[in-house]
Amino acid sequence: MTLIVIETMIGAVLAGSLCGSLGVYLDRMNLLTLGFVIAHAALAGAALSIIFRLNTELLAFVTSLITVSFIELVCAKFNVKRDLIAMSLFALTSSLGMLAIYFAPTTTLTAQTASLILWGSILAMTIGKIILLTLIMIALVIYIMAFKVQINAILFDRKLAEAEGVKVTLHATIFILITTLTVSLILRLTGSFLVFSLIYNSAMAASQISRKKQAIVGGALGALAGVIGVIISFKADTPIGATIALISSIILFTTLALAAIRDIKKRKRIISIQLTVSSNHQK
Amino acid sequence: MRGYVGSSKEIKGESNKLFRGGGGRGIAIHAKNVSTAYPRSNDVALRNINVDIPLHSISLITGPNGSGKTTFLELVLGFLKPLTGKLYVLGYEMPRNAGKVRLQVSYLPQNFMRDEREAYSVEEVVLMGLAPYYAPFQKPSREELRIVREVTRKLGIEDLLDHPIGILSGGQQQKVMLARALVRKPKLILLDEPFSSIDRDSRGEIIELLNGIRKDYHATILIVTHILSDVTSIADLVIELRNGEVVKKEWIS
């Protein structure tokens, strides 16, 4: 295996596991829409970075952060529903990103640069990014271990935790910040359109398997999608972002099907027990 | 000792300035001409509320659906702001001091029922009540685990500590949430429709428990309920709301 393959593989595992775990926390904190907006605001930032010849990851991070802060500010000041303003900004940032790519001078925008931002590239993962993603992973694990009881209280019932004095807004902000950082760093690996699938699909698939270990399962499924996606992308020469997203979708559909079969079997078992009990009573 | 026993988190200043009601009895909740409305709503949800809830009392707020019962609890917890008037909870002006007040209050929400997928164990859920007092990396101490066992024993759910909360019945889940409220050793307990999802026998049991809690923990208990029949036997004060206004205040001897 070449160094590029190893780097991409490690990067995909880190990206998949981070996105999968973060997706679970965002989902159970009712913040998944914000995760969606972060991913698409990063696209606008990345597209603008082409025009202004600035660092893509930095501008993607700043744009996402400004967008999320704006949403929270508008929600707090004007009592607008978060989902409403979030989805409006998703449309706005996506269209801004597209316009930026469309109007970018041809001297700075090559087809390769545009596709790298939109669909991702196997060449995007560097040692520097791997180190940064590893640090984010370590920070996330330490943070979750440090505030395990508080985070569990929020996941169990956000409003009750807030009523009891847990700093819910602070913890939600920390998760949003970590998500923003992660998305900005992996944007060029998965592509801005598909990064959200790694967050969403893995979290939803994990919810079908285990509620208690959902974050760990979500991370594992995200990492699995990353590894399989990279292998197929190298072997079949397919776009890496789309391949990873496709694998994570297949994993989600598989878990949904398995969960449906499990529920049918369980229901049949319960009904047969009830029927046995009632027939015994009649005797 | 940590916050749940009310020592290290004791808040100096305003908390000592508890209002004095008739006969020098302290006041846990003091509302004077309080009106409020929900965000994005054009309707006033509560208007000109004048209420004094005495310390260590059991008070009931009753009234038909939409009369403002739960809204009053949201005001007390600082989730809503008074549009007019002043509201003091445990001596603190609200919602300015919501953070301090919430650390001394336990709340049992109306919709606490969890489905069978909820995998947190009873012990984990009860310990979540202590979450705001924990420092980073802190784990439950032996003393806290002993208190959890003691409280759950009183509520008759000690043998369920390892069970996932999702598989328990409505009445059992209610007791778990009550245990979570009690391990905090709160000064004020707010219960929103605690009898709505349990049968008559369990209701009688919970009423007896609440009476015991008042005596053992010296807590002020405020219950929002539309079921009055048997709970009035332990109540000191019944406040009736209708269309967001107090229509009746009755002291029970």
Side-chain angles (χ1 to χ4, degrees):
Chain A
M1 272 203 283
T2 62
L3 185 64
I4 289 176
V5 183
I6 295 167
E7 280 179 0
T8 309
M9 195 80 88
I10 296 170
V13 167
L14 287 168
S17 49
L18 270 169
C19 286
S21 300
L22 287 167
V24 170
Y25 288 107
L26 293 183
D27 173 41
R28 293 187 63 180
M29 287 180 167
N30 296 323
L31 294 171
L32 211 48
T33 325
L34 279 187
F36 189 63
V37 174
I38 288 168
H40 291 85
L43 163 69
L48 288 171
S49 75
I50 300 169
I51 297 178
F52 298 113
R53 297 188 180 191
L54 293 168
N55 182 294
T56 303
E57 284 76 16
L58 186 67
L59 213 56
F61 176 68
V62 170
T63 317
S64 302
L65 210 56
I66 290 171
T67 308
V68 173
S69 309
F70 179 74
I71 291 169
E72 290 306 306
L73 193 74
V74 170
C75 287
K77 291 281 174 195
F78 302 105
N79 290 316
V80 180
K81 277 187 180 171
R82 183 191 276 131
D83 282 2
L84 183 72
I85 186 78
M87 293 316 278
S88 316
L89 280 171
F90 147 68
L92 180 75
T93 51
S94 298
S95 52
L96 279 178
M98 288 294 147
L99 284 171
I101 290 171
Y102 183 80
F103 286 114
T106 48
T107 47
T108 55
L109 180 74
T110 62
Q112 194 190 2
T113 322
S115 68
L116 190 146
I117 288 171
L118 291 173
W119 322 120
S121 165
I122 51 168
L123 302 171
M125 201 41 73
T126 60
I127 294 285
K129 279 188 190 170
I130 288 173
I131 293 170
L132 280 174
L133 285 172
T134 310
L135 290 176
I136 293 174
M137 176 72 94
I138 292 168
L140 179 66
V141 171
I142 291 173
Y143 163 64
I144 290 168
M145 283 167 65
F147 295 97
K148 190 180 168 193
V149 188
Q150 289 88 338
I151 292 169
N152 278 342
I154 297 170
L155 298 187
F156 180 75
D157 190 323
R158 188 179 162 143
K159 190 166 181 184
L160 177 58
E162 196 171 4
E164 288 176 340
V166 175
K167 292 184 172 71
V168 173
T169 309
L170 174 72
H171 290 293
T173 307
I174 291 169
F175 275 107
I176 288 290
L177 261 176
I178 297 174
T179 307
T180 311
L181 258 176
T182 307
V183 166
S184 308
L185 282 171
I186 66 169
L187 192 70
R188 292 206 284 182
L189 175 74
T190 57
S192 50
F193 269 126
L194 299 167
V195 67
F196 184 71
S197 66
L198 262 187
I199 296 175
Y200 183 82
N201 288 356
S202 309
M204 291 303 113
S207 73
Q208 305 302 318
I209 296 172
S210 166
R211 181 90 168 167
K212 187 146 193 175
K213 306 278 180 201
Q214 200 182 340
I216 295 168
V217 176
L221 293 177
L224 184 69
V227 170
I228 298 174
V230 169
I231 292 170
I232 293 175
S233 178
F234 269 102
K235 295 272 183 199
D237 195 20
T238 51
I240 188 163
T243 315
I244 292 175
L246 184 69
I247 299 299
S248 77
S249 298
I250 291 170
I251 291 173
L252 174 58
F253 284 126
T254 310
T255 55
L256 284 172
L258 290 174
I261 294 166
R262 184 188 60 201
D263 288 347
I264 290 168
K265 280 184 178 172
K266 192 176 172 185
R267 209 173 305 136
K268 276 183 181 172
R269 202 169 58 240
I270 291 169
I271 289 170
S272 89
I273 290 169
Q274 284 174 348
L275 287 173
T276 316
V277 169
S278 64
S279 69
N280 286 345
H281 272 290
Q282 281 171 357
K283 280 176 191 173
Chain B
M1 294 293 264
R2 267 214 302 280
Y4 73 91
V5 287
S7 53
S8 68
K9 289 275 176 182
E10 197 78 59
I11 295 137
K12 294 186 178 76
E14 282 184 88
S15 67
N16 296 324
K17 294 186 243 162
L18 290 176
F19 288 88
R20 294 283 151 191
R25 196 174 188 186
I27 301 296
I29 300 171
H30 171 74
K32 191 173 184 189
N33 296 326
V34 172
S35 300
T36 191
Y38 280 98
R40 290 191 291 275
S41 169
N42 296 323
D43 299 322
V44 177
L46 288 175
R47 64 189 82 217
N48 295 325
I49 301 293
N50 288 294
V51 165
D52 281 339
I53 309 278
L55 279 170
H56 316 308
S57 67
I58 294 183
S59 302
L60 308 180
I61 296 187
T62 185
N65 284 341
S67 56
K69 304 188 295 289
T70 300
T71 310
F72 186 71
L73 292 191
E74 301 220 337
L75 259 177
V76 171
L77 285 164
F79 287 124
L80 286 175
K81 290 177 190 171
L83 295 174
T84 63
K86 293 274 184 193
L87 176 70
Y88 291 86
V89 179
L90 300 172
Y92 291 99
E93 189 178 349
M94 294 294 278
R96 201 156 50 97
N97 296 295
K100 291 173 190 168
V101 168
R102 285 173 189 171
L103 290 171
Q104 302 175 67
V105 174
S106 281
Y107 170 56
L108 189 74
Q110 188 175 358
N111 302 314
F112 61 87
M113 280 293 288
R114 291 291 176 272
D115 65 26
E116 58 181 26
R117 291 173 65 238
E118 188 56 78
Y120 286 116
S121 71
V122 168
E123 186 176 67
E124 282 173 316
V125 174
V126 175
L127 282 167
M128 282 176 197
L130 303 176
Y133 314 115
Y134 277 21
F137 296 106
Q138 192 174 332
K139 289 185 173 171
S141 64
R142 276 188 195 170
E143 172 65 4
E144 284 161 351
L145 292 171
R146 188 194 61 77
I147 291 170
V148 168
R149 276 195 299 277
E150 182 192 307
V151 169
T152 49
R153 189 171 52 246
K154 275 186 183 174
L155 293 170
I157 51 168
E158 192 188 14
D159 52 340
L160 300 175
L161 279 174
D162 296 332
H163 289 52
I165 188 169
I167 63 161
L168 306 184
S169 68
Q172 287 170 326
Q173 287 199 25
Q174 183 124 35
K175 287 178 183 175
V176 175
M177 300 307 281
L178 207 52
R180 174 169 169 166
L182 292 180
V183 291
R184 294 162 59 83
K185 299 247 172 117
K187 290 181 178 167
L188 174 63
I189 302 175
L190 307 173
L191 308 169
D192 193 356
E193 297 286 2
F195 313 114
S196 60
S197 58
I198 53 173
D199 57 43
R200 201 179 167 80
D201 289 344
S202 302
R203 196 161 77 222
E205 218 175 296
I206 298 276
I207 289 169
E208 278 310 305
L209 281 169
L210 290 174
N211 205 18
I213 288 163
R214 188 237 310 252
K215 285 172 189 158
D216 295 350
Y217 294 83
H218 305 291
T220 307
I221 301 174
L222 179 60
I223 306 170
V224 158
T225 181
H226 66 275
I227 303 169
L228 269 182
S229 59
D230 26 14
V231 75
T232 43
S233 62
I234 58 161
D236 301 298
L237 171 66
V238 179
I239 297 163
E240 190 180 336
L241 290 178
R242 214 169 273 270
N243 296 323
E245 289 182 75
V246 175
V247 291
K248 196 168 144 192
K249 273 187 257 183
E250 188 184 353
W251 287 94
I252 296 172
S253 53

